[in-house]
Every structure is written in structure tokens, then in C-alpha cells.
Amino acid sequence: MLQNPHMNQVSETETSPQQRARDLLEQMTLDEKIGQLCQVNGGAHDLHDAVREGRIGSVLNEVHVDEVNELQRLAVEESRLGIPLLIGRDVIHGFKTIFPIPLGQAATWDRDAVRLGARIAATEAASSGVNWTFAPMIDITRDPRWGRIAESLGEDPVLCGELGAAMVQGFQGESLDNVHAIAACAKHFAGYGAVEGGLDYSTANIPEGELRNTYLPSFKAALDAGAVTFMASFSDLNGVPASGNEFLMKQVLREEWGFEGFVVSDWESIKELTVHGFAENDTHAALEAATAGVDMEMASTLYRDHLPELIESGRFNIEQLDAMVFNILKVKFELGLFEHAYTNPHDYPALVNEAHLKAARDTAAKSCVLLKNDNRVLPLDRGQLNSMTVIGPLADDGYEQLGTWIFDGESRHSRTCLQAIYDMVGDSVQVHWAPAMANSRCRDGGGFDEAIEAARQSDVAVMFLGEESILSGEAHCRAEIDLPGDQEKLVHAVAETGTPIVLVVLAGRPLTLGNIIDRVSAVLYAWHPGTMGGPAIADLLFGEESPSGKLPVTFPRMVGQIPIYYSRKNTGRPPSHDSITHIDDIDGKAPQTSLGMSAFHLDAGFTPQFHFGYGLSYTEFSYRDMVLSDHRVALGGSLRLSATVENTGEVAADEVVQLYIRDLVGNVTRPVKELKGFQRIHLAPGESRDVVFELHTDDLAFYDRRMERITEPGQFHAWIGSSSDPELWAEFEVTAE
Ligand code: NOJ
């Protein structure tokens, strides 16, 4: 392998990355410094010369290992100071072996599975020379219209924070300078998931308390897990676009949290500061972003073009510039790039190997959420079943099951649901295959008759419906989130045959299923499950595995309920089942009154279709004996909360045991429930386990009216159970001393 000729000049292994970055900085010219702030797309015009001349610090979207090595060679051997490149890529839920979309991974509630998925993605990506991923995406979102909900880890700060941290650990491995590690990037800082109307790139207005209590904790968790880079969001936060937001990047990230890595802009998001109407021209935009704390510019070239004049005119100073360059160089040293800039693919396990596929299959199985299972239609019994019909455009589409953001995933590796069903049943069950529709958006009922006829003659119809991958992801938002195209019509038509329907939904977001939910016997929500989606789903359909996924996000009955999430505030008029009226029951002549009125929709009530944390199993779990180590805990102390969980059914299965609390009275109002812990356990039939949660009073802290993070003494409720509608309840008090 090629060697870095500058390695010996700068590599004193006992010297810290900080010191090495400082030493290197001293040798740099103004142009070389600004060069480190520039990230350009692979294949860009003039790229080789620019790298050779030290005008580039990072390249994104170049994954051909020979070209990556050539770029690194130009950087380390031909540029004056031999500074290696950061090679960035969106490795979001796998590189070649594609895992479920992040929202699906969140439905596993399994830190280990999520960490392993990121680890595998990192080794596969690193074998192409990638040393930096733009993940995890840890924007809290409560709006399924937003296409990027697919990339998110759901609505809850604790679930998102813990799984986001697991992703960071997986990408970065045990040591960042290992050749199998890649740098993680916590994105999009911050508030992007709260864009108005679920419309991508739109505005987010989030009061500071809500920002700190709900939207920022997952970023703090990623930082605590070691994330060395952050990405600024495209969106406008409270009138200040995130890419020019000093409060976020200087005050919170650097001063309050002590972040020592670097911040990258989003794609041209510095240039877009002028489009937002926040900067009057490109020079001003560069000044705002640099002053706010964006260290590296992705894609646009405002830093390159305007920092020299800003420095010359004294509007920006060299110390500020040095701080930005230092942050980037330090990460390059931490990654060990000065020691191993080059990539030898032979140093890595094969892409898409059996171990990777097995992990992808396990995670896909854990990510599926059983939402409904009337008359125990699932699991299907191969011994009893004579015939089945497989219907739907997503049953046999290796590409669509991969989901959004799969730059490097290839459908040729995918195992589809139809193939897996054939493999599972062999000759024992007659399988009819009738796609019925060309794609999920199709409004041509031409294939319906065949599907209906086949269903009529079968014991069960298994329908693979939902959304193709293009219907979610960046800039792919929807105003209606029903099953698109004529899929609902298809469900109704097949239901008319009287054959029980098992609906498997492949989608990048929660869909509103109210129009068809009563027409199907079972619903297995499989998200976009990735390369091994087919075998994972077949295992669940035929009972080789029990479903164990739990919803990481609330499912509305209808779009008008959005935002709907479990950790809502109580309001002054909380609804209850006996206090609500239905739109059909209103007497037109009734006088208007506010007596007895509460917070609900006349046409939707106040409950979701499916609540956060919900998910059925093929077995039953009983919860009993909730025990608290004490009913009083002094500030600074801890409580142990436990419950006994027993598998009272007939099959072995995983269960996700969840702990929630409510702070009854606060200096600012507190949510009616907040997730504080979760554990995935495995129980054989008849087996029981005491599940113990440790809760420190600091876990109860929140930002109050003065924006101080406090835990207030007072009364709390605690619940342990299988969802956000948990089985067991207790109370405790936090005391001042
Ligand atoms: C824009 C997206 O918002 C961001 O998440 C992604 O990492 C960059 N493009 C780079 O592809």
C-alpha cells in the first residue's frame, strides 16, 4: 500500500490530536486553511487539481475505492502539507447490506441490533474508502406527512437518543482510528423534524423550552456517545435558519455541551441563507454561517469565495478561521487518517456476506410490528393451509423493500417476500401470485379480477401493500397518508370474497389505515425492511419467529389529528371516553356551551389508531408485582422500579418492557407520560422475569421557565408495561433532601 510521506513529520503517536492539529495549523497558508473547510462532490470539475493544491478538505459521494485512493494520494503525496481527505457518504441504514429504514430499526427498541447494523454498515462503507457517514439522523418528529420520518428514530427523545447513541457507537466502533471505524454525524441540528405541515425544508417554530426538552436531548445523547461531527439543518428555527444559528451551534453545542468536533452544513445550506432572506448576499451568508459555528461547507463554495475578503476587511478574523480548521484537523487526526489514508479492500470482510445478511434478517424481523391479529389468523400454519394468494405490488420488488437513502444498496441482493414464501412453504401449500397493481400509486384496476378470483379460491390472502420507497425520504412528503393509488379499493374488493386477509404494510411512514382496518384480519407493519425483508417477514408470517416490534411513533386515525403523540400535555380540559361527542350525535339546535367540553376532534375523538410503544405478539405476556425500592427519593438519589413479566402463552418470544413516568406538577407543565427506560427480553413459554429499571432523579430533569435544567421535588407516577398504555402503576415522591 502507498504510504503518506508526511506521516513521519506529523505523526508523533504520543502527541494528542489537538496538539498535532495545532502544529499543523501553524504551517498552513490562508488558502490551505480555507481549503479544509470545503467539501465538494466526487467527480466535480477540477477536483484532482483542487485536492493537489490543498483547496479541498472533504469529498462526498465518491465510493469507488480506486478513485478514493487516488484522491487521497493527491492529498497526502502531492499537496504541500499532505493532509488527507474526509470521504463522506450517506450511509443511513446500511451500505450494501441494507437494514430496515431507521424508523423500522427504531421499532426494534433494540440497542444491540441497531449498534450492530451501524457497525456492519461502517465496515462495508470503509472498504470503499468512506471514512465519514452523515448519520444518525436523530430529528424528533411527530408528523408522518414528513417524508424524512423514514430516516428518523421516531417521536420520543429517550428512544431516539438511546438508539441514536447506539448508531454512533456502531459507526465509530471502539476506537475511531481503527480502519473499520467511520466518523458519525448527528443531524440535522436542530428542529428539522418539526417543520410546519410536515413539509420538508419548511420552517420550524419551537419555543426554547420545548426545543430543550424534546428536540435537543437526542443530540446530546449522540454527543455523549462520541459523535465527532454534527450537521446543521436546512430549516429555519424560530426565524434563524439553523445553518446560521449561533444559539444552536455556539451557545448550546459548544458552550453548554462542550462539543469538540466539527459542524458541517447541509447541502448548499449556507448559500440558501440568502434564499431564506436571512443574508443579503453570498458574502453575508458566509459570514453568518462561519460566525454561527458551521465549520465545513457542503457543496456550495461561499467560504472559498468570500472568507478571504471577509478576513481582509476584518469582518471575520484569523483566530475564528483557525478555530474552524482546528476542529476539522483534529477529527482527521482522531480518525487516524494521517496514519492510514489509503483503503485496502482486502482488510475488510466481504460485502453482503452471510453474517451481514443474518444480522439484517434478525433486525428486520424485530422491526415488524403486529398491529392486529383477529382470531389468531397469524401465524399461518403450513400444516393446515392448503392454498394462499399473495397479492400486491410490494410482494416481489427487491428495490422497493430497501427504502429511502440507499445510495449503495442493490436490489440484486434483496430477498423478496414472494420468494421467501415459496422457500418457506415448498410444495406443501399452493401459492397463487397476483400482483394486482403495477405499483402502489397505480389507479388501474386491470389486475384486480385475477387477484380477487385467486383469493376466492384460497384459504388466506396475504396482501403486500404500502408505499414504494420514493414516497418517503427527503423532499417526499405527503398531505394524505392513506394507502396510495387504488390499494384501498383492492383491499375492499378482496375482502368481499370472505377470504381472511393478512395485510403486510411496507412503507416509510405511519399510514392512516382507518378506511381498511376493519376489512382485514391481521396487519403486520414491516416498514421498508431492507435486503432481507422477505425471509424476515416469512419467518413471522409462518411463526418461525414471533413479532416483537413496538411502534416508535403514534399512528393517527386521520391526518387531521397530526401532531398526535403520546407525551402530550394534559391541557385544562383533558378528554375522556365518556366526555366526548361524535359528529353524528350533534343536535343541530343544541346551544353552544363550553360545559363539559374537552380536547378532542368531533370526527376522530382523541385516541390514535395505534399508540406509541404498541405491538402484539404470538404469545401473551402478563405483568404483575410492580415494586419500587422506595416511595421517596431525595434529589441526587436513585430508585429501582421492577415488575414481573411472564410469558403466559405458548411460544417463546421477545417482549419490550417499557417504563414511563409522569411529573404531576411542574414549574412548566409536564407531559402526561414520558418514556424513561426500555428493555427487550426473551421469555420461553411459562418463563417469568423480574425486570428492573434504575431511575436517577436526574432522569426526571427538565428545562423550566428560566431555561434551567432542574428536577423538582414533588409527586410522580410511574408505569411499567408493554406499551405507552401500560399495565402497572405506582407513585413516588422526590424530596428536596
Ligand atoms: C441533504 C440531506 O439533508 C442530508 O441529510 C444529507 O446528508 C446531505 N444532503 C448529503 O447527501
Side-chain angles (χ1 to χ4, degrees):
M1 274 276 97
L2 299 164
Q3 291 299 315
N4 180 347
H6 296 279
M7 190 174 99
N8 296 331
Q9 290 172 27
V10 288
S11 164
E12 304 151 38
T13 38
E14 56 297 338
T15 310
S16 67
Q18 286 87 337
Q19 190 55 47
R20 294 174 75 185
R22 267 191 294 273
D23 292 347
L24 183 53
L25 197 54
E26 276 179 18
Q27 304 170 44
M28 296 172 77
T29 64
L30 180 65
D31 286 348
E32 285 166 340
K33 289 177 181 175
I34 292 173
Q36 287 302 305
L37 315 182
C38 300
Q39 184 183 53
V40 301
N41 212 28
H45 165 71
D46 190 29
L47 181 56
H48 284 207
D49 285 344
V51 171
R52 190 181 285 117
E53 289 160 19
R55 290 190 273 121
I56 304 287
S58 173
V59 172
L60 79 162
N61 297 332
E62 181 53 73
V63 290
H64 296 99
V65 69
D66 292 343
E67 174 62 5
V68 172
N69 278 335
E70 173 60 8
L71 290 168
Q72 294 288 24
R73 192 192 65 76
L74 292 169
V76 301
E77 293 190 38
E78 297 200 12
S79 78
R80 192 179 74 89
L81 289 172
I83 304 173
L85 297 165
L86 284 160
I87 306 292
R89 184 69 159 173
D90 289 284
V91 182
I92 306 297
H93 53 113
F95 185 70
K96 288 283 177 204
T97 307
I98 301 296
F99 284 70
I101 54 170
L103 192 60
Q105 292 192 43
T108 68
W109 296 56
D110 187 331
R111 301 167 184 87
D112 294 339
V114 168
R115 189 181 301 108
L116 179 62
R119 186 86 290 278
I120 288 171
T123 58
E124 289 196 350
S127 74
S128 291
V130 170
N131 51 36
W132 179 22
T133 176
F134 305 124
M137 196 272 230
I138 45 177
D139 296 305
I140 299 296
T141 185
R142 294 163 173 189
D143 197 326
R145 293 170 298 183
W146 191 45
R148 300 198 83 168
I149 194 171
E151 288 174 62
S152 84
L153 297 168
E155 75 181 40
D156 183 73
V158 168
L159 183 64
C160 177
E162 297 229 3
L163 299 183
M167 280 191 179
V168 170
Q169 291 158 356
F171 288 129
Q172 297 194 169
E174 284 184 2
S175 173
L176 201 54
D177 64 359
N178 189 293
V179 292
H180 289 203
I182 63 178
C185 182
K187 75 184 189 185
H188 306 83
F189 200 58
Y192 191 30
V195 283
E196 286 173 351
L199 187 63
D200 209 6
Y201 313 127
S202 184
T203 299
N205 281 305
I206 311 174
E208 187 178 338
E210 182 65 4
L211 185 72
R212 289 183 179 277
N213 286 323
T214 301
Y215 292 88
L216 295 184
S218 51
F219 286 92
K220 178 67 165 57
L223 174 58
D224 291 344
V228 287
T229 77
F230 271 55
M231 185 186 292
S233 169
F234 281 127
S235 46
D236 176 329
L237 176 66
N238 302 333
V240 181
S243 298
N245 198 311
E246 196 167 356
F247 164 75
L248 282 176
M249 289 176 290
K250 284 270 167 73
Q251 184 179 322
V252 174
L253 187 57
R254 297 260 175 217
E255 287 162 27
E256 296 179 22
W257 295 355
F259 177 60
E260 292 183 344
F262 74 86
V263 178
V264 64
S265 76
D266 205 337
W267 185 277
E268 295 196 341
S269 68
I270 297 181
K271 189 166 178 54
E272 288 172 12
L273 292 177
T274 58
V275 188
H276 278 283
F278 182 73
E280 57 189 337
N281 53 36
D282 286 355
T283 313
H284 184 200
L287 178 62
E288 289 289 354
T291 309
V294 181
D295 301 304
M296 181 181 281
E297 179 177 16
M298 183 189 289
S300 50
T301 57
L302 275 55
Y303 281 178
R304 184 196 75 187
D305 298 342
H306 302 289
L307 280 180
E309 74 196 69
L310 285 165
I311 288 168
E312 203 170 316
S313 66
R315 293 165 77 193
F316 198 69
N317 64 47
I318 204 80
E319 289 73 29
Q320 290 171 295
L321 175 69
D322 283 355
M324 297 161 76
V325 181
F326 171 82
N327 294 335
I328 294 165
L329 293 178
K330 187 170 80 69
V331 170
K332 291 187 174 185
F333 280 110
E334 286 171 342
L335 276 165
L337 296 183
F338 288 84
E339 283 68 51
H340 47 74
Y342 301 114
T343 301
N344 181 351
H346 299 298
D347 292 342
Y348 299 86
L351 299 169
V352 205
N353 65 45
E354 282 308 313
H356 294 185
L357 290 172
K358 179 178 181 313
R361 179 177 183 157
D362 290 348
T363 303
K366 287 176 174 170
S367 75
C368 293
V369 186
L370 183 63
L371 296 177
K372 176 175 180 177
N373 194 16
D374 283 358
N375 306 321
R376 292 181 176 269
V377 64
L378 287 178
L380 302 174
D381 183 343
R382 274 172 285 178
Q384 300 286 318
L385 214 57
N386 292 316
S387 59
M388 64 189 288
T389 298
V390 174
I391 299 171
L394 295 168
D396 194 32
D397 196 323
Y399 178 77
E400 303 302 346
Q401 71 188 49
L402 298 179
T404 185
W405 279 118
I406 45 121
F407 275 161
D408 302 289
E410 295 174 62
S411 56
R412 70 189 166 100
H413 299 302
S414 292
R415 317 250 173 106
T416 71
C417 300
L418 182 69
Q419 291 161 9
I421 288 172
Y422 283 133
D423 291 346
M424 177 71 72
V425 302
D427 295 334
S428 65
V429 180
Q430 194 186 1
V431 179
H432 304 286
W433 159 228
M437 298 168 72
N439 61 54
S440 74
R441 289 160 287 158
C442 186
R443 293 201 182 274
D444 160 15
F448 279 26
D449 287 348
E450 185 191 351
I452 293 163
E453 201 39 48
R456 198 186 307 284
Q457 293 170 27
S458 295
D459 296 335
V460 65
V462 185
M463 302 185 71
F464 292 88
L465 305 180
E467 296 178 321
E468 294 107 290
S469 51
I470 195 67
L471 295 185
S472 59
E474 185 178 343
H476 291 86
C477 305
R478 295 181 60 203
E480 290 289 357
I481 52 171
D482 293 339
L483 283 170
D486 272 350
Q487 294 184 92
E488 288 189 353
K489 279 190 188 155
L490 180 63
V491 173
H492 287 286
V494 174
E496 286 302 310
T497 65
T499 301
I501 296 175
V502 171
L503 173 62
V504 180
V505 182
L506 287 87
R509 58 161 61 77
L511 296 174
T512 42
L513 300 173
N515 294 334
I516 47 103
I517 193 88
D518 294 336
R519 307 303 307 266
V520 302
S521 300
V523 181
L524 185 68
Y525 215 87
W527 319 100
H528 287 133
T531 304
M532 293 299 282
I537 290 169
D539 284 347
L540 296 170
L541 292 176
F542 290 95
E544 294 292 313
E545 300 275 348
S546 172
S548 56
K550 303 275 186 172
L551 293 181
V553 62
T554 304
F555 274 43
R557 294 176 190 280
M558 52 180 91
V559 154
Q561 290 182 295
I562 298 169
I564 182 167
Y565 49 95
Y566 85 94
S567 60
R568 61 182 172 78
K569 299 292 183 71
N570 204 34
T571 79
R573 295 188 169 194
S576 64
H577 286 288
D578 48 14
S579 75
I580 69 170
T581 315
H582 292 286
I583 203 160
D584 302 335
D585 300 337
I586 298 176
D587 172 359
K589 297 193 182 59
Q592 289 220 347
T593 170
S594 61
L595 289 176
M597 292 198 175
S598 63
F600 70 97
H601 289 108
L602 288 170
D603 47 359
F606 64 94
T607 57
Q609 186 81 54
F610 298 108
H611 53 274
F612 177 82
Y614 170 79
L616 301 171
S617 169
Y618 292 156
T619 194
E620 282 89 47
F621 294 102
S622 86
Y623 282 74
R624 62 171 191 270
D625 301 336
M626 181 161 172
V627 177
L628 273 57
S629 55
D630 204 334
H631 287 271
R632 289 163 67 87
V633 56
L635 281 179
S638 290
L639 266 187
R640 266 191 327 281
L641 305 96
S642 68
T644 306
V645 185
E646 182 174 350
N647 181 346
T648 54
E650 282 164 17
V651 294
D654 281 11
E655 165 71 328
V656 179
V657 184
Q658 301 164 38
L659 169 71
Y660 295 86
I661 64 101
R662 179 176 178 186
D663 184 348
L664 295 195
V665 180
N667 167 291
V668 291
T669 54
R670 309 299 306 132
V672 294
K673 252 174 221 154
E674 293 176 84
L675 180 73
K676 290 295 168 187
F678 57 94
Q679 292 179 37
R680 183 179 257 271
I681 59 170
H682 183 81
L683 293 178
E687 187 182 354
S688 61
R689 173 124 15 117
D690 293 340
V691 177
V692 183
F693 293 98
E694 187 89 18
L695 189 68
H696 191 276
T697 58
D698 197 46
D699 299 329
L700 304 169
F702 62 94
Y703 284 87
D704 69 2
R705 268 179 264 179
R706 292 156 302 167
M707 293 307 133
E708 281 174 19
R709 190 169 179 277
I710 55 161
T711 301
E712 282 184 328
Q715 293 295 326
F716 289 77
H717 287 174
W719 295 262
I720 294 178
S722 62
S723 75
S724 62
D725 185 13
E727 285 77 356
L728 303 174
W729 175 83
E731 10 183 15
F732 65 92
E733 183 185 356
V734 173
T735 59
E737 43 192 57

